Amino acid sequence: MSITAADIMTSPVIAVSPQTSMAEIAALLASKHISAVPVCNSDSSLAGVVSEGDILKPFRESVRARRDWWLGVIAEGENLPQDFLDYIRQDTRTAADVMVAHVIAVEPETTLPEIAELMVKHRIKRVPVLRDGRVIGIVSRSDLVAAISRAPGMLV
């Protein structure tokens, strides 16, 4: 008998809506000790995934340098009001703004070796589990490793 996604997935899934703010997502990831969340529409269909990496992108030096350049163009040598600068620095993005929309997903019957192959091939850390297009679970790399530790030799 093969181990399937349904056997090792985490369910129920902690998910967010497309309208969820970055601050809310960051707080959720931190409080639940997870590294990503599926973004689900109101009918539980998968819209995308937001990961820690997606949240951190604006903090990259290249992004900050570009923003500073634009602020310099806007200011044209003048000092900009602090309330304007504070507003510009606020993160008003939502899950819909930063999510990865093209998500590799599996069905409950997908076997552990198939999931492992997808993760390695696509260099991903997790796959949502869908039934009839709706998110019912998620399988992370740590779920795979835990399953392998319980049944060594299952991938060969």
Side-chain angles (χ1 to χ4, degrees), residues 37-41 43-49 101 103-105 128 130 133-135:
V37 287
V39 180
C40 295
N41 297 310
D43 64 354
S44 296
S45 62
L46 183 64
V49 170
V103 178
I104 305 297
L130 307 181
R134 290 177 169 64
V135 178

Side-chain angles (χ1 to χ4, degrees), residues 62-73:
S62 61
V63 172
R64 287 185 22 214
R66 224 176 16 250
R67 183 189 65 218
D68 291 347
W69 181 84
W70 275 110
L71 286 174
V73 169

